[in-house]
Amino acid sequence: MGIQPPQGRHAVQCQQDLEQMLSDSKDSSPLLAILQKTVLHPLCLKYPPSVKYRRRFLSELVQKHERTAAEPLDELYEALGSVFNTEASTHCHKSYILPSGDAVTVRENVAVISQGTTGLVTWDAGLYLAEWALEHPLVFTDRKILEFGSGTGLTGITICKSCLPRAYTFSDHHRGVLEELSENIRLNGFLVQSEQPGLGGTMGRDHEKLVESQGPLVTVAELDWESVTKEHLARFQADVILAADVVYDPDLTESLVAVLQKLPDCNSDGLPLEIFVASTCRNPDTYCHFQRTLEHVGIRWEDVPGPQNNFFSYDQNTKIIILKLHLQHPSPNSD
């Protein structure tokens, strides 16, 4: 949904199938069906993708349509004319249909870097981790989740809609990211309990409604990895820790590992924390530095098999790895 395109070899096959379908048809009904499932879909009309992308998408459809013998389709040219008369914005929406039929929509910045941060766009590892979560819902069902570096919130919103967690805490540090994150959570139908003033969180009676509702208790927290304390992290009482696409800078890696060391050994039930970190391997040296840093402080890891099914749009040729981390804090009585 949100006319997010397929990637890699799957994209080539889709292109060929589309062209064959259009050429075999004696009228424009297949093209109209495509429009109704993409740019004319109610979700897409309410939360439109970027103007640039819609122009490219519709222009490509026009070219393919004109290669057929079918009559011109008014709806196609009207949609193209409308989008060419639309002024481009700094923001856009991306929507995805989950296996349950529910939708996840996030508002993003069209620029990769904005306001001095990369946290205002959704990155591949976040989509990959969300796919993995959809295939492993019991990891999250009726449990308390704390996510580091939530960004636009796509991963957590997907889990909240599909995996029935008891509570989910989204966290980040950049003020602009936190504001956009809170808006995306509300856009998807969740009330937000905020730790910080000014983020539009709910407290008091609204907090009671959150607890009584069927959905999870959703919190947005500002976490500075440099200054957060063990006591602060312990207050979240998390069962599961998540992070996606946070291993891309050696300095940031050092801060991340320092935060992991501050986490409690166990949850409130005395069970070990489950920690999952999804990373896009852009620079092998940076990723190896992350693994070496984990080793240095005694944090073990194991590779987790990735998702078997593709629900979101990202480059399938990108190498993405999910690690499950095992904390090994020293015993208080050890020398």
Side-chain angles (χ1 to χ4, degrees):
M1 185 52 57
I3 55 177
Q4 301 308 311
Q7 302 284 342
R9 287 176 292 181
H10 181 51
V12 174
Q13 185 62 50
C14 286
Q15 289 272 1
Q16 294 171 347
D17 292 345
L18 174 60
E19 291 176 359
Q20 187 65 45
M21 178 182 66
L22 293 177
S23 64
D24 290 346
S25 177
K26 297 180 180 179
D27 57 31
S28 299
S29 58
L31 190 62
L32 180 59
I34 292 172
L35 289 175
Q36 291 172 339
K37 292 180 179 179
T38 54
V39 292
L40 297 184
H41 190 281
L43 189 62
C44 195
L45 292 173
K46 186 175 182 179
Y47 302 116
S50 73
V51 170
K52 179 181 178 181
Y53 188 81
R54 281 180 287 156
R55 288 173 180 172
R56 290 177 59 189
F57 177 81
L58 288 167
S59 296
E60 183 71 18
L61 277 186
V62 167
Q63 292 179 18
K64 294 184 183 303
H65 181 56
E66 289 179 345
R67 296 193 197 107
T68 71
E71 291 294 320
L73 182 65
D74 290 342
E75 289 87 346
L76 174 60
Y77 291 95
E78 288 172 1
L80 183 63
S82 175
V83 76
F84 268 98
N85 287 324
T86 301
E87 185 177 352
S89 170
T90 58
H91 292 83
C92 67
H93 292 87
K94 293 183 179 180
S95 298
Y96 305 89
I97 300 297
L98 302 177
S100 64
D102 203 352
V104 171
T105 298
V106 292
R107 182 176 183 263
E108 300 185 1
N109 202 294
V110 295
V112 172
I113 300 177
S114 178
Q115 300 181 37
T117 179
T118 58
L120 293 169
V121 297
T122 301
W123 294 90
D124 288 356
L127 296 164
Y128 190 82
L129 185 58
E131 288 180 340
W132 182 85
L134 289 171
E135 295 181 358
H136 300 84
L138 293 182
V139 173
F140 309 97
T141 300
D142 199 33
R143 306 184 80 188
K144 297 178 181 178
I145 320 300
L146 170 60
E147 183 184 2
F148 293 147
S150 298
T152 64
L154 183 281
T155 302
I157 292 168
T158 299
I159 291 172
C160 287
K161 287 203 169 191
S162 300
C163 302
L164 303 177
R166 184 188 310 173
Y168 199 104
T169 299
F170 297 80
S171 74
D172 218 293
H173 179 49
H174 190 280
R175 189 70 180 186
V177 174
L178 289 167
E179 292 173 353
E180 193 79 2
L181 173 60
S182 298
E183 287 300 318
N184 279 335
I185 295 169
R186 282 190 285 269
L187 186 151
N188 284 275
F190 296 102
L191 294 174
V192 181
Q193 179 187 8
S194 174
E195 282 200 331
Q196 279 71 39
L199 293 179
T202 59
M203 300 297 287
R205 292 181 179 177
D206 284 338
H207 172 76
E208 294 175 3
K209 292 178 182 178
L210 281 169
V211 176
E212 294 171 357
S213 70
Q214 294 181 350
L217 176 65
V218 176
T219 304
V220 173
E222 181 178 358
L223 280 188
D224 183 348
W225 294 356
E226 298 291 338
S227 62
V228 67
T229 64
K230 292 181 179 180
E231 294 73 21
H232 190 177
L233 292 172
R235 285 200 296 270
F236 292 113
Q237 298 183 329
D239 302 305
V240 180
I241 306 293
L242 295 180
D245 241 329
V246 294
V247 180
Y248 57 87
D249 176 86
D251 293 335
L252 192 62
T253 296
E254 301 282 348
S255 299
L256 172 62
V257 174
V259 171
L260 294 173
Q261 289 180 277
K262 296 176 184 178
L263 290 169
D265 289 305
C266 303
N267 63 14
S268 57
D269 296 323
L271 300 174
L273 292 184
E274 293 195 68
I275 305 172
F276 300 93
V277 179
S279 304
T280 302
C281 297
R282 301 179 183 87
N283 185 327
D285 292 338
T286 300
Y287 192 72
C288 287
H289 174 70
F290 173 55
Q291 293 179 316
R292 288 194 302 268
T293 306
L294 290 173
E295 286 180 344
H296 180 71
V297 300
I299 298 177
R300 296 182 296 111
W301 77 84
E302 61 178 301
D303 288 332
V304 175
Q308 299 300 305
N309 299 294
N310 177 224
F311 302 112
F312 301 109
S313 174
Y314 57 89
D315 188 352
Q316 298 293 302
N317 296 316
T318 299
K319 183 179 180 181
I320 305 175
I321 297 175
I322 300 176
L323 294 184
K324 182 176 182 179
L325 308 185
H326 302 275
L327 300 179
Q328 292 179 302
H329 295 326
S331 170
N333 297 324
S334 63
D335 294 334

